[in-house]
Every structure is written in C-alpha cells, then in structure tokens.
Amino acid sequence: MVINNAFIGFGKSATRYHLPYVLARKDKFKVSYIFDNVRDPQKEKLTQYQGIEFTDCVETILNDPQVTLVTVCTPPDSHFYYAKLCLEHGKNVLVEKPFTPTLEEAKILFALAREKNLLVTPYQNRRFDSCFLTIKQAIESGKLGKIIEVESHFDYFRPDAAPQPGSVFEGAFYGLGVHTLDQILSLFGRPQQVAYHLRHLRQPGNPDDTFEAQLFYGDLKAIIKTSHLVKVPYPRFIVHGTKGSVVCYQIDQQETCLKNGIMPDHPDFAADQQCALLDYIDDEGHSHTEQLPAVKGDYGRVYDAIYATLTEGTANYVSEQDAFTNLEILERAFHQPSPSLISLS
C-alpha cells in the first residue's frame, strides 16, 4: 500500500528535513502535492520534485480524496489552523515543531482526530538522532543500573547576533528545547517538577538564546541545555547510573549532511565513526569499559512509524501524553519569571 502524502509549506523544513526521507520511501509514500502561498518556479523545477503537483490553492489538497496524509511545514502560528482544516477534511496530519502554540490547541486537535478516527502527531525527528539512539540503547541495556542523572547539550559558538526581536517560537527553548525535551520524555515520561532558566545573552531584545531546564523524577534528574556561547563543546550526552556512566560526544550528522547536499540514499550519509564510552561494574563487581558503536540515525523513521500506524494500527510513535507534556513545559516557561520551579499535576 502506498500512502498519498501532500505538503503544506515548501520552506527549509520541508525541503531539508522531510522530503529527502519521504521521496526515498517510494514503496510507502507518494508525494502528490506541495502547497505554498508564494510559488518558487525555480525550486519546483529541481529534479527531485518532478512528478509532484505544486499549487497555491490549499483546497486542491483538501478536496482530493486520495490524499490521506498531510505534512504541515508552515510557521508555528499557522500550525493549528492548517492541522484543524486538514482533520476536518478527513486527512491524517503530521505537524512540524512546535506542534501548536498552546497546549489548549493541541488538546483540540487530538480530540478532533479521535472523533474522526484520524492520526495527528508532532514531528519529533530527533527521537531518531544517532547520538540519542546510542544513549538510549546503553540505558536500556541495564548495565548502568538505576539511572540517576542525564545531561543533554545542544550548543554552538555563535557569539555575534544581530538585533532581531521576535516571538518566543523563534527562541532557543521552542526551537531546540522542543526536541531535547521530547527525547527525555520519550525515555522517562512526565516529570514531577521542572526548573527553568532562560536567558537572552547576545542581544537582550532578541528571543532567548540560552536555556537550561531540569526535569525531576524522584531520584532521577534530567538536564537539557543549549547555549550559543560554548567554544569548547561539552559531550552531547552524559548519563550516570548506580552501576556506571556513559558519555557520547558527537552529535548526529544527518543535519550536517543535508545542509551539504548529501542525501539519505548516499552510502556515506550521516556516517558516524565515533563511539560512546560506557564504563560500568557488573553484578559480580568486575569493572568494564566498552566502546559503543553509534546506532545509525534516520529521521525517515518518523514516516516509517506513521506508515505502520496508518496501515497496521500500531500506536502513535509520540504518545498523546508526551505531546501534551512537551507543550505544557514549553508554554509555562514563558508565563513566569526565570529562573523558576514548577510542579506538574
């Protein structure tokens, strides 16, 4: 079975993080349409997009009964509008991050999808980062014992920033925290408490460029951090347990490859030769050090998961609770002074 997929939005998100993976899955998906308010004839003529119908009339997608999945890749303030419109026309919907500007809007979309027996889901591609999958495998092996602390860094060194006032959706917490937060939620679920510290270090008038959030799960603490002022990088992940620790330095290489025009069908795509270091004590008290080969990342696994849901009825790869918790934590960060500590009911 091949699913007819249409795209609303034809910007960087669609061309870099979605279409290269969907177009490589011709046994599962056919991209029938791409809608954009402002057409770009030069971009539409590129070889990889031949056979796709481009339109500036969204009703073309909504009124085609053969289109069963729509991917929304528009600016965040239009996500709710387009997702709701598609659901009302009987389409399953995948929505770029952040899923919706508010938690209340997300609840409306999930309720509407249930009512119509459709799928609506956020695009959380970084569940399929190589570095995250490698750390997840180490945690699930049990060799670390009970997990006590996880620290996740997604940093840059970009000390210069032009004045660019904007909405919170253009800041680091919504831009990157939406992903690193989701990775923690996928491992450990909903925390009891969250501590925030959001800052505007390079340009005080710009959206936040630096954040730290700490998620508390009883004895476990998970920390997610992003800064644009880190010259010497931290490890991407550090995990400590009662029996050992694991450290992973290199970030997933898919984005780097995509930026350089290396596509998922290339043999060297997202090649990661760096290993994570696992150091632990076994049940007999013997110490071990292991080099863990990187688990291959693949953002296309989002579409594989959606295909399985639509054709086999498997559970949504992002649970409703994870989607709601993610948005609640993001949204509440901007409703109070920073730093702050909140409790989740």
Side-chain angles (χ1 to χ4, degrees):
M1 175 182 176
V2 174
I3 291 173
N4 280 289
N5 183 200
F7 278 74
I8 294 180
F10 193 42
K12 182 180 73 174
S13 169
T15 59
R16 182 179 293 173
Y17 299 108
H18 290 263
L19 286 164
Y21 296 96
V22 182
L23 294 173
R25 285 166 163 76
K26 298 188 187 304
D27 58 326
K28 294 179 179 177
F29 295 94
K30 178 182 185 297
V31 179
S32 301
Y33 302 99
I34 295 177
F35 161 82
D36 207 1
N37 281 316
V38 180
R39 299 277 297 275
D40 185 341
Q42 288 301 112
K43 192 161 65 169
E44 292 173 11
K45 289 177 183 176
L46 293 174
T47 303
Q48 62 266 38
Y49 305 132
Q50 297 313 294
I52 300 173
E53 183 175 334
F54 289 86
T55 179
D56 55 10
C57 177
V58 73
E59 285 76 17
T60 304
I61 293 171
L62 300 175
N63 295 331
D64 188 335
Q66 295 195 15
V67 173
T68 55
L69 173 67
V70 178
T71 302
V72 176
C73 291
T74 57
D77 59 2
S78 63
H79 286 181
F80 175 74
Y81 170 77
Y82 281 121
K84 185 170 181 285
L85 191 63
C86 291
L87 289 169
E88 289 169 343
H89 283 78
K91 314 298 185 187
N92 301 286
V93 191
L94 171 64
V95 186
E96 249 294 353
K97 56 89 176 176
F99 181 61
T100 52
T102 69
L103 175 60
E104 187 57 37
E105 289 172 331
K107 289 180 176 179
I108 291 170
L109 292 182
F110 272 89
L112 181 59
R114 277 197 304 276
E115 176 190 321
K116 292 184 167 289
N117 196 29
L118 294 167
L119 171 72
V120 65
T121 189
Y123 184 63
Q124 288 290 5
N125 57 312
R126 291 196 177 274
R127 288 196 177 199
F128 303 106
D129 272 348
S130 171
C131 46
F132 174 68
L133 292 172
T134 304
I135 288 297
K136 181 181 179 183
Q137 185 180 81
I139 291 172
E140 292 176 346
S141 74
K143 292 177 180 178
L144 297 172
K146 180 182 177 182
I147 304 303
I148 301 301
E149 186 169 289
V150 178
E151 186 166 347
S152 163
H153 282 265
F154 204 121
D155 298 312
Y156 305 94
F157 186 65
R158 298 172 177 172
D160 299 320
Q164 255 182 336
S167 74
V168 297
F169 305 115
E170 298 167 279
F173 198 39
Y174 264 98
L176 286 173
V178 65
H179 287 309
T180 52
L181 176 58
D182 175 72
Q183 290 175 336
I184 299 300
L185 296 178
S186 74
L187 289 173
F188 306 115
R190 185 177 175 86
Q192 288 88 47
Q193 292 179 302
V194 180
Y196 304 96
H197 191 194
L198 278 61
R199 295 186 283 173
H200 311 249
L201 295 181
R202 297 175 300 168
Q203 289 284 349
N206 286 4
D208 60 287
D209 60 6
T210 302
F211 71 81
E212 177 175 341
Q214 299 183 7
L215 287 68
F216 299 97
Y217 300 84
D219 290 336
L220 166 64
K221 178 170 73 172
I223 306 158
I224 58 171
K225 299 182 71 172
T226 283
S227 173
H228 287 74
L229 296 172
V230 175
K231 185 69 169 67
V232 179
Y234 294 92
R236 175 67 181 87
F237 286 101
I238 307 168
V239 182
H240 302 299
T242 54
K243 292 184 177 180
S245 301
V246 62
V247 181
C248 179
Y249 282 90
Q250 183 164 304
I251 194 168
D252 181 276
Q253 295 298 297
Q254 292 178 80
E255 184 173 24
T256 301
C257 286
L258 293 166
K259 285 179 178 178
N260 292 327
I262 303 171
M263 293 293 107
D265 58 355
H266 192 282
D268 294 329
F269 180 77
D272 187 349
Q273 305 302 322
Q274 195 170 95
C275 296
L277 180 66
L278 173 63
D279 199 323
Y280 69 100
I281 297 173
D282 65 23
D283 292 338
E284 284 73 43
H286 301 127
S287 184
H288 302 267
T289 300
E290 296 181 13
Q291 298 280 343
L292 300 181
V295 178
K296 186 171 177 58
D298 182 1
Y299 296 158
R301 287 175 60 184
V302 172
Y303 282 89
D304 293 338
I306 289 171
Y307 185 85
T309 299
L310 297 182
T311 61
E312 302 168 19
T314 58
N316 189 346
Y317 83 108
V318 177
S319 72
E320 187 173 306
Q321 183 186 52
D322 284 356
F324 290 167
T325 299
N326 190 306
L327 286 172
E328 180 180 357
I329 292 172
L330 290 168
E331 188 176 353
R332 289 182 66 179
F334 296 92
H335 289 178
Q336 58 215 330
S338 185
S340 59
L341 174 70
I342 65 165
S343 294
L344 302 182
S345 57

